[in-house]
């Protein structure tokens, strides 16, 4: 089951998105599967985690379940350490545990750039535990493949323009 | 029947009949005619608020000093030779901002003084020239003495002034930062515009508050044209607890570019956007847009003839963004953020300064205090 979020990441790559995929599992049931959808939606906040969160919210709505109780018992499996934004979002929803592949040196919010998962933030939900390194090499390989090809939607960097 | 926003009778100009919500056309874009007239007089009045820049800790900190040895240059002709010699013997690799030689302050018998090395470079604390130059080539130097020199390049004028009292350094002045620190960055006309945009955010916040949301509103503006691109208010107590006002606005900008992820009509019609040009422009009668035309950051705005997410745009938000929203603005490449009141877990000054975080790939300017009292009132 846990390989599924790597398939999500591959699907993102095939669609020209940053290859990050995730799963949200509530009591052994997959409630959400997400992959990066930033370029598709022209919304830079549509990271895999945010997409999966929306699916869980939809599930709760359809099943008439209390979303607070559901998120408090949901584990996130994600190929890359959640960014600062997603880490804050996960806190706000009181998700207790995140299992991730490789570290996110550029944006990581679970220790790499900031430690949003553990910092003392009284008004931002509850801190969560992190387990990193699950099939990390695979996650790094996917990212490398993507960044080799460059993000076609990003504006050209100033340095490159001068050439 | 009453309008959903202004509670006035709906006779005509009904825009939407969706989910049993009706509203005036003018309300749907958040602008009502009489307000434009009000702005005309406000330009002449003074403002009850002041914006202060939220600068990085590096820009605000005290000048840090390092202990060093310096010596007078007795023979002025030896100066360039001494510089070469010392650069080899004691390179100040991590201190490129330090000027090795300075003019002597008290205009005594020797006109110049030179830094020999940092105190930490040598084991003994009390030294003579012989200790400093084991090979004995220190021609033209006087007795060494201890000085304190600035550890970092000054980033603001006030840091530069303090640093210069100790030892001369290079300083590349950022005129914007100097002006901002002195409160001279925005003129009356610009402030009038900023106030109009923030009023729009407050208006949206008020609507949200009535619906049981957190009283936070936000507006995204294209400062090159003064167009309001998106207006939104907090929706966290609706179906999606992550739809804070900033997240709503970011998605509405995506909609304005043919994308978007949420159906904002479903959320009780509480979010809306306006792509019409900003009507206040006419009333305020100002030729110059808020963004100076020579600003290079605008260049990255257009990709294949289309704007790229929030590049080049400004955000006006009634309350300091949380971590999630502040980072969402980094990802969205916002240009500037103006907020009114602080938030205990705020990420743009209170708990973090995400907009100045060096490791991140995008940075933006942040100003706080715009219409602070009005927004404080909103929160009460």
């Amino acid at each position: 089951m846990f390989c599924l979020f790597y398939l999500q990441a591959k699907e993102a790559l095939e669609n020209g998105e940053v290859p990050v995929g995730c799963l949200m599992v509530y009591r052994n049931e997959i409630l959400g599967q997400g992959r990066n959808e930033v370029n598709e939606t022209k919304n830079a906040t549509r990271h895999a985690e945010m997409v999966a969160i929306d699916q869980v919210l939809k599930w709760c709505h359809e099943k008439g379940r209390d979303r607070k109780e559901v998120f408090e018992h949901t584990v996130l499996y994600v190929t890359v350490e959640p960014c600062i934004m997603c880490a804050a979002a996960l806190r706000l929803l009181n998700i207790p545990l995140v299992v991730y592949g490789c570290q996110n040196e550029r944006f990581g919010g679970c220790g790499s750039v900031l430690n949003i998962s553990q910092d003392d933030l009284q008004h931002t939900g509850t801190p969560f535990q992190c387990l990193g390194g699950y099939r990390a090499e695979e996650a790094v390989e996917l990212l490398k493949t993507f960044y080799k090809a460059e993000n076609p939607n990003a504006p050209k960097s100033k340095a490159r323009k001068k050439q | 029947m009453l309008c959903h926003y202004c509670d006035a009778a709906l006779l005509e100009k009904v825009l939407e009949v969706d989910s049993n919500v009706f509203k005036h056309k003018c309300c749907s874009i958040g602008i009502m005619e009489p307000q434009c007239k009000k702005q005309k007089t406000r330009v002449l009045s003074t403002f009850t608020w002041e914006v202060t820049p939220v600068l990085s800790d590096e820009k605000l900190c005290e000048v840090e000093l390092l202990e060093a040895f310096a010596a007078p240059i007795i023979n002025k002709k030896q100066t360039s030779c001494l510089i070469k010699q010392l650069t080899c013997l004691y390179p100040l690799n991590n201190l490129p901002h330090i000027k090795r030689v300075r003019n002597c302050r008290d205009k005594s018998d020797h006109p110049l003084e030179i830094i020999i090395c940092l105190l930490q470079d040598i084991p003994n604390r009390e030294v003579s020239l012989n200790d400093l130059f084991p090979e004995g080539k220190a021609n033209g130097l006087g007795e060494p003495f201890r000085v304190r020199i600035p550890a970092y390049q000054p980033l603001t004028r006030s840091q530069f002034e303090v640093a210069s009292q100790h030892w001369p350094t290079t300083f590349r002045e950022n005129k914007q930062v100097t002006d901002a620190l002195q409160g001279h960055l925005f003129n009356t006309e610009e402030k009038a515009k900023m106030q109009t945009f923030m009023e729009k955010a407050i208006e949206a916040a008020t609507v949200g508050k009535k619906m049981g949301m957190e009283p936070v509103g936000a507006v995204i503006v294209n400062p090159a044209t003064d167009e309001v691109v998106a207006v939104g208010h907090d929706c966290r107590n609706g179906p999606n607890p992550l739809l804070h006002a900033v997240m709503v606005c970011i998605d509405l900008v995506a909609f304005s570019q043919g994308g978007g992820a949420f159906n904002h009509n479903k959320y009780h019609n509480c979010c809306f956007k306006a792509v019409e040009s900003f009507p206040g422009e006419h009333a305020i009668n100002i030729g110059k847009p808020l963004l100076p035309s020579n600003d290079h950051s605008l260049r990255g705005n257009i990709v294949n003839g289309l704007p790229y997410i929030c590049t080049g745009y400004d955000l006006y938000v009634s309350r300091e963004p949380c971590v999630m929203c502040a980072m969402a603005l980094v990802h969205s490449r916002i240009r500037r953020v103006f907020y009114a009141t602080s938030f205990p877990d705020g990420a743009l000054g209170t708990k973090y300064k995400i907009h100045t975080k060096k490791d991140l790939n995008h940075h933006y300017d942040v100003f706080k205090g715009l219409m602070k009292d009005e927004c404080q009132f909103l929160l009460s």
Side-chain angles (χ1 to χ4, degrees):
Chain A
M1 171 168 89
F2 299 145
C3 303
L4 274 173
F5 61 105
Y6 276 89
L7 288 179
Q8 289 280 328
K10 279 179 189 140
E11 192 192 309
L13 186 67
E14 282 156 17
N15 285 276
E17 302 278 357
V18 178
V20 182
C22 74
L23 278 188
M24 296 198 100
V25 181
Y26 166 72
R27 299 188 197 272
N28 284 324
E29 191 182 345
I30 298 174
L31 298 189
Q33 294 187 50
R35 63 159 174 91
N36 202 311
E37 293 180 358
V38 166
N39 292 334
E40 228 167 281
T41 57
K42 297 177 192 289
N43 180 335
T45 70
R46 297 308 287 165
H47 288 186
E49 297 92 324
M50 304 300 259
V51 173
I53 286 168
D54 284 353
Q55 291 176 8
V56 178
L57 285 168
K58 200 172 158 226
W59 184 88
C60 293
H61 183 71
E62 282 167 1
K63 304 274 179 187
R65 298 290 290 269
D66 174 23
R67 68 186 183 213
K68 192 169 177 287
E69 189 275 330
V70 172
F71 279 116
E72 277 171 3
H73 296 91
T74 293
V75 178
L76 169 73
Y77 296 85
V78 57
T79 54
V80 183
E81 173 193 351
C83 79
I84 292 166
M85 171 187 76
C86 292
L90 296 166
R91 267 191 82 127
L92 285 166
L93 295 169
N94 308 309
I95 284 176
L97 177 65
V98 172
V99 180
Y100 65 81
C102 66
Q103 287 196 326
N104 184 346
E105 301 290 342
R106 301 172 77 197
F107 306 117
C110 307
S112 289
V113 178
L114 286 175
N115 198 351
I116 302 302
S117 51
Q118 290 295 320
D119 280 357
D120 178 30
L121 295 163
Q122 300 288 326
H123 304 264
T124 313
T126 43
F128 57 87
Q129 295 299 315
C130 286
L131 291 171
Y134 179 76
R135 294 171 70 175
E137 291 86 8
E138 213 173 318
V140 171
E141 250 353 279
L142 281 166
L143 287 173
K144 273 188 187 161
T145 315
F146 178 81
Y147 284 107
K148 244 185 271 165
E150 287 188 5
N151 183 352
N153 286 16
K156 286 201 171 74
S157 74
K158 275 171 196 148
R160 193 154 295 139
K161 225 178 258 172
K162 279 174 191 161
Q163 287 179 2
Chain B
M1 192 177 295
L2 298 180
C3 170
H4 192 66
Y5 286 119
C6 66
D7 290 337
L10 272 175
L11 299 169
E12 47 181 357
K13 288 189 189 171
V14 178
L15 181 83
E16 270 174 69
V17 187
D18 184 55
S19 320
N20 298 322
V21 173
F22 300 83
K23 55 193 174 186
H24 288 120
K25 201 171 182 181
C26 55
C27 293
S28 75
I29 55 169
I31 300 143
M32 279 173 277
E33 283 302 314
Q35 284 200 335
C36 302
K37 279 167 194 153
K38 259 189 262 164
Q39 284 150 16
K40 215 172 217 171
T41 48
R42 195 178 293 136
V43 172
L44 302 170
S45 65
T46 51
F47 299 93
T48 54
W49 47 268
E50 236 176 282
V51 283
T52 42
V54 182
L55 300 174
S56 63
D57 292 339
E58 291 86 2
K59 285 198 178 87
L60 294 173
C61 69
E62 300 275 308
V63 174
E64 208 179 302
L65 298 167
L66 293 170
E67 298 265 8
F69 284 111
I73 297 175
I74 308 292
N75 184 353
K76 212 176 164 181
K77 284 177 186 165
Q78 292 282 340
T79 307
S80 67
C81 184
L82 281 165
I83 291 173
K84 265 185 214 161
Q85 207 182 334
L86 283 167
T87 311
C88 277
L89 202 56
Y90 297 112
L92 301 175
N93 285 335
N94 297 325
L95 304 164
H97 58 281
I98 291 288
K99 297 187 175 175
R100 192 112 203 182
V101 178
R102 75 169 173 190
N103 279 314
C104 193
R105 283 224 189 119
D106 45 18
K107 307 275 179 226
S108 60
D109 48 347
H110 56 275
L112 298 172
E113 287 170 348
I114 189 163
I115 293 177
I116 298 171
C117 64
L118 290 178
L119 204 65
Q120 64 199 43
D121 290 344
I122 43 163
N124 305 333
R125 290 284 146 131
E126 294 302 324
V127 291
S128 67
L129 274 182
N130 289 341
D131 299 325
L132 291 167
F133 296 92
E135 292 168 38
K137 287 181 192 162
N139 289 332
L141 276 186
E143 262 318 291
F145 58 93
R146 273 162 72 157
V147 283
R148 296 205 298 161
I149 62 172
Y152 302 104
Q153 176 168 43
L155 297 169
T156 63
R157 182 146 280 279
S158 61
Q159 281 181 346
F160 176 61
E161 280 160 9
V162 174
S164 300
Q165 286 169 13
H166 296 275
W167 195 273
T169 68
T170 56
F171 172 51
R172 261 174 267 142
E173 182 166 24
N174 181 335
K175 203 79 181 89
Q176 263 207 333
V177 171
T178 307
D179 285 350
L181 279 170
Q182 291 169 345
H184 297 153
L185 189 56
F186 303 108
N187 62 32
T188 312
E189 286 164 329
E190 288 167 326
K191 281 183 172 176
K193 268 193 200 183
M194 285 154 55
Q195 178 157 325
T196 320
F197 293 132
M198 188 59 92
E199 275 169 354
K200 239 169 159 26
I202 295 172
E203 207 179 296
T206 313
V207 173
K209 194 180 180 182
K210 274 186 197 164
M211 293 176 166
M213 304 296 174
E214 287 280 299
V216 184
V219 172
I220 289 183
V221 176
N222 180 354
T225 58
D226 287 334
E227 269 178 342
V228 172
V229 186
V231 184
H233 64 67
D234 181 87
C235 299
R236 76 184 69 182
N237 296 329
N240 190 331
L242 299 181
L243 280 177
H244 296 184
V246 171
M247 300 299 271
V248 169
C249 276
I250 286 173
D251 196 49
L252 288 169
V253 170
F255 266 105
S256 80
Q257 296 168 3
F262 296 98
N263 181 353
H264 297 281
N265 293 329
K266 240 177 22 185
Y267 301 120
H268 315 299
N269 279 355
C270 56
C271 313
F272 52 89
K273 62 170 177 166
V275 286
E276 285 87 353
S277 70
F278 173 56
E281 194 174 15
H282 173 72
I284 292 169
N285 190 22
I286 172 172
K288 196 174 78 144
L290 259 177
L291 180 71
S293 58
N294 60 357
D295 193 301
H296 296 290
S297 67
L298 243 198
R299 279 195 201 158
N301 198 4
I302 309 294
V303 176
N304 303 331
L306 291 167
Y308 179 72
I309 42 180
C310 296
T311 312
Y313 290 169
D314 291 344
L315 169 80
Y316 294 80
V317 56
S318 58
R319 189 173 77 184
E320 182 183 0
C322 70
V323 174
M324 175 182 69
C325 292
M327 191 59 196
L329 291 166
V330 172
H331 289 314
S332 301
R333 321 243 174 137
I334 200 89
R335 180 176 179 268
R336 295 190 297 195
V337 171
F338 298 89
Y339 69 82
T341 54
S342 294
F343 170 59
D345 274 359
L348 300 181
T350 305
K351 207 93 190 193
Y352 305 95
K353 288 177 177 175
I354 283 182
H355 62 294
T356 69
K357 190 93 186 127
K358 275 202 182 119
D359 311 324
L360 298 176
N361 67 342
H362 176 76
H363 304 103
Y364 49 87
D365 293 335
V366 173
F367 300 89
K368 66 173 181 180
L370 174 56
M371 297 189 77
K372 195 176 162 194
D373 295 340
E374 287 84 346
C375 291
Q376 203 68 58
F377 184 69
L378 189 70
L379 293 169
S380 61

